[in-house]
Amino acid sequence: MRIDILTCLPELLVSPFAHSIVKRAQDKGLAEIHLHQLRDKAINKHGQIDDAVFGGGAGMVLRVEPIAAWIDELQAQRPYDAIIYLTPDGETLRQPLANRLSLFQNIIMLCGHYKGIDERIRSTYITHEISVGDYVLSGGELGAAILVDAVVRLLPGVLGNEESALSDSFQDDLLAPPVYTRPSEWRGQAVPEILLSGNTPKIEEWRHEQALARTQARRPDLLS
C-alpha cells in the first residue's frame, strides 16, 4: 500500500510513522508513506497557501491551487483508489471503514488546517471524508496518523499473528474480552481458572460471554 499525505505540517507526522507497527510495515516493504509539504506548491515566494474567507468571518482557508497541484501531480504518476479529506464533518472512522480501506493499494490523505479547505477541492477531488471523532483538532495531521495506523496494521504480514487483528475490539461489533498473562496470581487476584484449563472450546465460549457482557456494560449501542 502507498499512502501520500498532503500537509502544511509534515513534521507532525514524522514520529508517528517512525515507530512500532507502522515502521515495521514500512521496513517489510508492505507500506510506503510519503509526506508532501503543501507550501512546496505555494502561490507566491512567501509560501502562501491560505487566504481570507469570502463573505467575511474569522479564520483562514487553504487555497485550491496548492492542493490541486499536488493531487494532479500524484494522479499523473499512478491511479489512486481513494482521496481522503480528514474533516470533523466526515464519516466517523469505525473498524469496518478501516477494513475496507485496507484493501486499497494507493491512497491520498489531505490534512486540512486553519478554517478548512476551499469547498471546490472537496467537490472536485475528494472521494472519502473521514472524521476521527466528534471534536475539533488544530489540523488533520493527527487524524491522518490515527487513520494510517488503523489501516496499515490490517495489511497482511504486518502483524506477527494474522489472527491478532481479527480479535480486536469492534471487528465483530463487540468489545474485546479481558486478557491475562503471567503471573497467574498477583496481589490475591487469580487468573480465571477456565483460561488455565487448556479447553479451547470452553475458553472461546468464556471469551465470547465476557465480550458480550463488557459491550453491554460499556457500549450497548454496538449491540443494536
Side-chain angles (χ1 to χ4, degrees):
M1 172 180 284
R2 178 187 170 109
I3 301 174
D4 290 275
I5 302 178
L6 310 182
T7 169
C8 59
L9 291 170
E11 302 85 0
L12 281 178
L13 291 168
V14 173
S15 180
F17 302 150
H19 304 279
S20 190
I21 291 172
V22 176
K23 180 179 185 299
R24 185 189 310 164
Q26 295 176 86
D27 290 344
K28 289 183 175 181
L30 301 173
E32 294 181 29
I33 301 173
H34 301 270
L35 305 178
H36 304 285
Q37 170 59 268
L38 284 172
R39 295 190 189 280
D40 289 347
K41 306 291 186 185
I43 64 169
N44 55 36
K45 64 181 181 180
H46 304 295
Q48 184 182 354
I49 57 173
D50 62 338
D51 217 323
V53 183
F54 272 132
M60 303 290 280
V61 177
L62 289 176
R63 293 178 59 124
V64 295
E65 300 97 328
I67 300 172
W70 263 123
I71 296 177
D72 288 344
E73 180 176 315
L74 291 169
Q75 286 187 316
Q77 298 170 15
R78 67 191 58 83
Y80 282 88
D81 303 296
I83 302 177
I84 299 169
Y85 175 44
L86 283 303
T87 173
D89 59 358
E91 176 185 358
T92 302
L93 176 60
R94 301 188 187 280
Q95 193 61 48
L97 176 56
N99 292 346
R100 293 197 299 273
L101 294 176
S102 73
L103 302 177
F104 292 165
Q105 184 174 358
N106 299 314
I107 295 174
I108 293 175
M109 295 185 187
L110 171 60
C111 302
H113 213 71
Y114 312 117
K115 199 67 177 176
I117 65 173
D118 190 293
E119 187 69 19
R120 289 167 291 186
I121 290 292
R122 299 174 78 162
S123 61
T124 303
Y125 293 103
I126 303 302
T127 63
H128 297 69
E129 299 185 341
I130 297 177
S131 167
V132 295
D134 294 340
Y135 47 86
V136 177
L137 299 170
S138 300
E141 288 77 16
L142 297 182
I146 290 171
L147 181 57
V148 168
D149 191 282
V151 171
V152 167
R153 67 189 308 277
L154 298 172
L155 300 179
V158 171
L159 298 181
N161 185 335
E162 295 289 333
E163 294 184 3
S164 180
L166 298 178
S167 61
D168 287 340
S169 289
F170 306 114
Q171 282 290 15
D172 53 2
D173 291 325
L174 296 175
L175 300 181
V179 293
Y180 300 85
T181 188
R182 294 179 178 83
S184 59
E185 186 169 337
W186 177 76
R187 295 185 180 179
Q189 301 178 63
V191 173
E193 284 293 331
I194 184 64
L195 298 179
L196 307 176
S197 68
N199 189 330
T200 301
K202 288 294 185 182
I203 290 173
E204 292 305 314
E205 182 181 343
W206 178 87
R207 284 175 172 161
H208 183 66
E209 291 172 352
Q210 293 294 311
L212 280 171
R214 177 164 286 187
T215 305
Q216 181 65 58
R218 301 184 182 188
R219 289 291 304 277
D221 57 297
L222 294 176
L223 297 177
S224 65

